[in-house]
Amino acid sequence: MSSAEPTEQTGPAVRSHPQHAEHVQHSHHPENAQRPERSPRPAPMPGLAESARLLADSTTTSTALVADALARVEAAQPTLNAFRHLRAEAALAEAAEADRRLAAGERLPLLGVPVAVKDDTDVAGLPTHFGCDGERPPVTTDSEAVRRLRAAGAVIVGKTNSCELGQWPFTEGPAFGATRNPWNTAHTPGGSSGGSAAAVAAGLVPAAHGSDGAGSVRIPAAWTHLVGIKPQRGRVSVHPHHDAFQGLTVNGPLARTVADAALLLDAAAGAHPDDFHRPPAVRASDAARRDPGRLRIALAWRPPLTLTGAGPDPEVRRAVAALAETLARLGHHVEEARPRYGLIGLTFVPRATAGIAEFAARHPEPALLDPRTRSALRTGTRLGGRVVRAARAREVRQHRRIGALFDASGYDVLLTPTTAAPPPRIGTFDHLSAWRTDVTMAAACPYAWPWNVLGWPGINVPAGFTRSGLPVGAQLLGPSRSEERLIALAAQLEDDLRWYEHRPPVS
């Protein structure tokens, strides 16, 4: 932590008024939305790499960038409700200290650059609510990922909203209301890193930290037209948790460009001495500037078995098929294939629910938890212990079976839709039972979670828009420790498609 951090001066919790949020929902008409054009409006806040360059060149100051970010957050909060907490005074003090360091000639990758952190991650001086209602005391120590971001010079402006314990692909709850999608505020930005995704998509901050236990970086990235990286398990420490959600959850970046996501990943990556998983380092930013070469890419439409009969919405399929055609035009060999997922869901459920039970058991007021969370707690308690150990023991066989797509069949990358459906409307999951929530969620988002079971990397890239202007995404998935290849391929796609030129109407 920076010695200049005045943690006692952190700002108040940021909340939106439910009645105002309802007004926003009815004031936007998705039926009339059109495919976004390249915007002629003034440029949004510069991206992560551009902000770092402007600071290093003395073209701007950290104080100016941080003050701008805070003003944007405050202005957008009644509409988007992306943040749970702001650190206004502390962040401005840290920005002033960054300016002094920059003036003295110090250079760090993110020195003075504002970023946001998801509210499942400890930031000293703020509570970690993880989407839950009730009061929590401020934590006294940064998580390892935040410590590394600070060591790279980043200024944390606040903590972004997450659904309760990160369980669902929407960011709504009684503790904070509904976080809304800047492309269409009647729709969710996804979850559970929905606050981070909405903040970056709307240009409130250059980039943000998220976490992904079943697609929680990739799903909101897909639904807000962002790049979202789920790195290899252990690439970014989850300390003070040693093995979050039974090894399913990893930390990762959300950004508008591949270079920005890679830069944030490089800054946050690295292990804590107590971490279980310690993969060798990668150079993500270097990979973003590298030609990926000619790759063999498997395109898979059929998701793992979820008993919902889910397949891709026609508009999702159209967008992902167009992206596959772009890859072929760029010189890659693309063909349809079918990964051997097997009954991987039978090992995912015990690990996921046991993870929820572990976090829910720490809540000081269990009665405040969503009834669906309490249901998951009971299931996870029943499936803990021997069942979870058996589920985790199967991971080695799952690596061999699904990994045969890369090892035996010779593919370099697996391409799938990130979600089966475009972003649902706000309130879609309200008042559903735990079972109906799970079924509805599995039907909309059947593609992302197997890579959490495997612990392997994946990247969401923007795949375009539905006819009503809602973003959808595609996943680039790879075998163990293949981030650099995936990042290089994503950067090549970005150079061709220039998705960062499209901006949402709410910003």
Side-chain angles (χ1 to χ4, degrees):
M1 185 187 347
S2 166
S3 60
E5 184 191 15
T7 55
E8 71 277 4
Q9 297 180 4
T10 56
V14 180
R15 300 176 186 267
S16 68
H17 195 284
Q19 290 180 338
H20 183 83
E22 184 68 18
H23 170 73
V24 170
Q25 178 175 348
H26 290 292
S27 66
H28 193 88
H29 300 286
E31 305 83 20
N32 300 326
Q34 301 295 323
R35 178 182 175 86
E37 297 297 329
R38 290 180 172 86
S39 175
R41 291 176 294 158
M45 169 170 275
L48 200 70
E50 178 68 3
S51 294
R53 185 189 67 77
L54 293 171
L55 288 166
D57 292 346
S58 301
T59 304
T60 189
T61 66
S62 177
T63 298
L65 288 179
V66 170
D68 185 24
L70 291 168
R72 289 169 185 257
V73 171
E74 291 280 13
Q77 188 65 13
T79 304
L80 297 182
N81 188 26
F83 280 78
R84 184 78 182 257
H85 291 281
L86 279 182
R87 304 180 63 248
E89 293 181 55
L92 286 169
E94 291 168 15
E97 175 63 19
D99 285 332
R100 288 189 286 271
R101 295 164 68 185
L102 287 159
E106 185 174 354
R107 295 294 180 266
L108 292 169
L110 297 178
L111 184 55
V113 180
V115 300
V117 171
K118 181 179 176 180
D119 191 31
D120 63 344
T121 299
D122 289 349
V123 174
L126 293 179
T128 301
H129 285 101
F130 203 175
C132 295
D133 208 349
E135 297 302 317
R136 292 289 184 98
V139 301
T140 57
T141 306
D142 288 330
S143 68
E144 179 66 13
V146 169
R147 187 193 71 78
R148 288 178 177 271
L149 288 174
R150 288 193 199 274
V155 177
I156 311 299
V157 298
K159 299 187 75 175
T160 57
N161 277 325
S162 163
C163 64
E164 191 168 288
L165 303 185
Q167 302 167 78
W168 304 305
F170 54 89
T171 302
E172 302 164 41
F176 58 88
T179 297
R180 294 174 180 272
N181 195 320
W183 292 94
N184 184 322
T185 55
H187 291 257
T188 181
S192 60
S193 304
S196 287
V200 176
L204 312 184
V205 289
H209 155 281
S211 62
D212 191 314
S216 287
V217 162
R218 290 162 290 156
I219 291 166
W223 285 346
T224 58
H225 197 66
L226 297 178
V227 176
I229 301 178
K230 174 216 172 298
Q232 177 77 21
R233 183 185 296 150
R235 178 74 60 215
V236 179
S237 176
V238 294
H239 188 83
H241 312 293
H242 301 307
D243 200 38
F245 284 84
Q246 293 294 324
L248 297 176
T249 295
V250 300
N251 290 315
L254 294 113
R256 293 181 65 229
T257 69
V258 176
D260 284 355
L263 178 57
L264 195 67
L265 178 58
D266 278 338
H272 184 275
D274 294 337
D275 284 349
F276 292 164
H277 310 288
R278 308 170 69 89
V282 297
R283 298 173 68 91
S285 293
D286 288 349
R289 296 186 288 268
R290 186 183 308 151
D291 189 316
R294 187 174 185 271
L295 302 176
R296 293 191 71 227
I297 299 174
L299 170 60
W301 295 112
R302 177 175 290 186
L305 180 66
T306 60
L307 301 180
T308 64
D313 178 276
E315 293 204 84
V316 172
R317 188 177 181 110
R318 172 183 55 79
V320 176
L323 191 135
E325 291 172 2
T326 300
L327 288 166
R329 177 170 53 77
L330 292 171
H332 303 291
H333 176 81
V334 182
E335 64 183 22
E336 292 190 14
R338 185 178 297 177
R340 296 176 55 225
Y341 291 115
L343 299 178
I344 191 170
L346 295 180
T347 62
F348 172 77
V349 171
R351 293 171 69 170
T353 55
I356 293 167
E358 290 163 5
F359 276 83
R362 302 186 190 116
H363 197 286
E365 299 177 85
L368 294 178
L369 293 171
D370 190 296
R372 294 169 291 189
T373 300
R374 297 199 296 271
S375 175
L377 189 159
R378 292 189 294 270
T379 301
T381 301
R382 289 196 303 270
L383 298 180
R386 186 169 61 182
V387 177
V388 166
R389 289 193 296 272
R392 299 202 65 170
R394 293 189 64 84
E395 189 176 307
V396 173
R397 279 175 283 179
Q398 291 162 341
H399 284 165
R400 285 198 299 266
R401 185 180 64 249
I402 300 172
L405 183 79
F406 307 105
D407 299 329
S409 299
Y411 292 107
D412 299 300
V413 173
L414 172 63
L415 170 68
T416 79
T418 301
T419 67
R425 292 181 67 88
I426 295 288
T428 295
F429 295 84
D430 286 356
H431 312 302
L432 296 182
S433 67
W435 171 251
R436 290 305 309 169
T437 298
D438 289 344
V439 170
T440 306
M441 176 171 64
C445 302
Y447 291 103
W449 56 268
W451 248 243
N452 296 87
V453 175
L454 300 171
W456 293 348
I459 301 179
N460 174 78
V461 294
F465 301 88
T466 67
R467 290 178 177 84
S468 61
L470 295 171
V472 295
Q475 290 186 109
L476 305 175
L477 303 170
S480 180
R481 304 174 185 179
S482 60
E483 286 103 321
E484 291 189 358
R485 178 189 300 157
L486 300 177
I487 289 168
L489 181 60
Q492 184 187 51
L493 271 171
E494 179 179 85
D495 286 343
D496 187 83
L497 298 175
R498 302 178 69 84
W499 50 61
Y500 51 83
E501 295 181 348
H502 297 289
R503 290 171 53 197
V506 181
S507 60

